[in-house]
Each structure stands twice: as structure tokens, then as C-alpha cells.
């Protein structure tokens, strides 16, 4: 079966750095997406990786290792508004997104 | 309209009733999707459409139907609602199946 694993919840301090991991086992791989979802709102796109390596976009970076079936999202200089759930999703061989259950990130002052 | 809109925002429905959730996008995206999101689970694909006039089944299609008569609209119908269909429903669209998906605000549906 297809599986995406992420930690259920993480806590970090304002101004710090946090890394959210995602491991996947899917039928085929056509890219990995990270989305942010604030409580009661829709998911919004953060990043996309299809090749191995690091993609940096402002305070957020995303890393992919296809051989290890592993990705992480790195958030720097954390702000209170970063409190949200972070969703990892893999585009499988049928070009359908398989989603993890999400990681709830709690930022403390 | 800017992006994707969904209606209604929320609905309480008696079991056995028929219900259509509406989704409209103005981005001229070819592909559209319906997901449900339940606590503790990832988003699950119900149905999708890669282009107007075509539809396909996702991971959890039973009890739901869709149509794609034009590019902009992608309604989701529950023919006879059951309590297990209580969920938050998100519509999304993308330029193609390999492109980034953009989500509507969601419909919170409760079936009693």
C-alpha cells in the first residue's frame, strides 16, 4: 500500500528553527509537495521537489532524497503565524496526490 | 471571483437526503479535484477530472458522484447521505495533473 509518515505534532520556540520530516512509500514518484494549513482554513502551497536536494524559498526550505524516500521542511526564524499544520504529499505513478496526515506545529513565545 | 469558490460554507443534513456541493474556479485550470479531510487522516481523493467532459474515481468514491460539463464547475453530489460522510470537503484545481493544486475554502458537512 501507499504510505506517507509525518510526526503528529511538534513544538518550537519563536525565533528558532524547526525541521519537519516526511517519509514515503508510494507506487511511483512524480514529485513531493509541502502545504501549510491553518486551523479551519484551506491548504496553501509551500514547496515542490522532484529532484534530490534542497529548495530554498525565504524562511522555508524543503529537501528531498528519492533513494531514501525522505523529505523535510525546514522553517527558520519562526514566527507565531507559523503555527499551523504542515502537510506532505507525494504525486504517485497515476498522478494522484497521496497525503500524509499532517504535522501540527505549535510555536511558543 | 478570484481563485476557487465553494458553496455552501457549512451544512447540516439529515441522513438519506441528497446534497450537491458546488465548486467553481476562474483560473481556467484543466484539472479539478474533490477531497475529504477527516481528523487524524490525510486528505483523501474522492473524484477528479483531468479536463472538461472527463471524470475519474479517487481513493474513496463510494456514495459520491461528480460531473464536469465545463471548465469552471465541478459539483459533487451525495445521492443519499450517511453519517460517515460527515467531513470537511475541499475542492482543488490545477493546470494539469502534475502541477500545483490550489484549494477552495472548504465545505463543512454534518450528516445526522
Amino acid at each position: 500500500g501507499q504510505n506517507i509518515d509525518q510526526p503528529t505534532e511538534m513544538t518550537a520556540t519563536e525565533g528558532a528553527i524547526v525541521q519537519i520530516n516526511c517519509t514515503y512509500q508510494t507506487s511511483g514518484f512524480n514529485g513531493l509537495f509541502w502545504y501549510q494549513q491553518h486551523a479551519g482554513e484551506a491548504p496553501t502551497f509551500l514547496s515542490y521537489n522532484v529532484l534530490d536536494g534542497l529548495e530554498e524559498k525565504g524562511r522555508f526550505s524543503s529537501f528531498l532524497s528519492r533513494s531514501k524516500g525522505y523529505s523535510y521542511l525546514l522553517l527558520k526564524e519562526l514566527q507565531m503565524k507559523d503555527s499551523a499544520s504542515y502537510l506532505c504529499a507525494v504525486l504517485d505513478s497515476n498522478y494522484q496526490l497521496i497525503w500524509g496526515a499532517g504535522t501540527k506545529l505549535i510555536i511558543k513565545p | 471571483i478570484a481563485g476557487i469558490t465553494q458553496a455552501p460554507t457549512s451544512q447540516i443534513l439529515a441522513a438519506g437526503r441528497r446534497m450537491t456541493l458546488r465548486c467553481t474556479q476562474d483560473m481556467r485550470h484543466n484539472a479539478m479535484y474533490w477531497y475529504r479531510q477527516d481528523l487524524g487522516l490525510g486528505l483523501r481523493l474522492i473524484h477528479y477530472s483531468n479536463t472538461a467532459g472527463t471524470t475519474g474515481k479517487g481513493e474513496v468514491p463510494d456514495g459520491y458522484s461528480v460531473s464536469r460539463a465545463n471548465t469552471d464547475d465541478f459539483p459533487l453530489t451525495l445521492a443519499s447521505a450517511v453519517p460517515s460522510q460527515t467531513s470537511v470537503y475541499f475542492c482543488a484545481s490545477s493546470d494539469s495533473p502534475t502541477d500545483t493544486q490550489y484549494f477552495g475554502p472548504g465545505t463543512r458537512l454534518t450528516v445526522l
Side-chain angles (χ1 to χ4, degrees), chain A residues 30 33 35 37 40-45 48 87 91 94-102, chain B residues 35 37 40-43 45 48 57-59 90 97-105 108:
Chain A
N30 285 296
F33 293 82
Y35 280 77
Q37 185 177 26
E41 298 183 7
T44 56
F45 170 73
Y48 170 68
L87 315 181
L91 196 62
N94 294 319
Y95 297 102
Q96 292 184 7
L97 275 178
I98 309 301
W99 296 80
Chain B
Y35 292 95
Q37 188 175 40
L41 300 177
L43 287 159
L45 183 65
Y48 65 94
K57 294 181 179 180
E59 180 187 356
F90 287 103
T98 59
D99 287 320
T100 299
Q101 294 183 19
Y102 296 92
F103 285 77
R108 183 174 296 274

Side-chain angles (χ1 to χ4, degrees), chain A residues 3 10 18 28 48 58 68 74 93 97 104 109:
Chain A
N3 197 49
M10 299 182 70
V18 70
Y48 170 68
K68 295 182 179 178
L74 192 71
S93 58
L97 275 178
K104 182 178 180 180

Side-chain angles (χ1 to χ4, degrees), chain A residues 25-61:
Chain A
Q25 291 177 305
T26 56
S27 59
F29 179 85
N30 285 296
L32 186 145
F33 293 82
W34 283 95
Y35 280 77
Q36 181 190 59
Q37 185 177 26
H38 284 101
E41 298 183 7
T44 56
F45 170 73
L46 285 177
S47 69
Y48 170 68
N49 295 69
V50 66
L51 300 176
D52 289 353
L54 189 67
E55 294 280 342
E56 297 186 83
K57 192 185 295 185
R59 293 189 298 114
F60 292 8
S61 303

Side-chain angles (χ1 to χ4, degrees), chain B residues 33-45:
Chain B
Y33 314 85
W34 274 106
Y35 292 95
R36 59 177 291 172
Q37 188 175 40
D38 302 291
L39 204 62
L41 300 177
L43 287 159
R44 291 183 290 168
L45 183 65

Side-chain angles (χ1 to χ4, degrees), chain A residues 16 19 24 46 62 69 72-73 78 80 109:
Chain A
Q19 178 176 311
Y24 63 88
L46 285 177
S62 55
Y72 68 72
L73 181 69
L78 286 169
M80 297 304 292

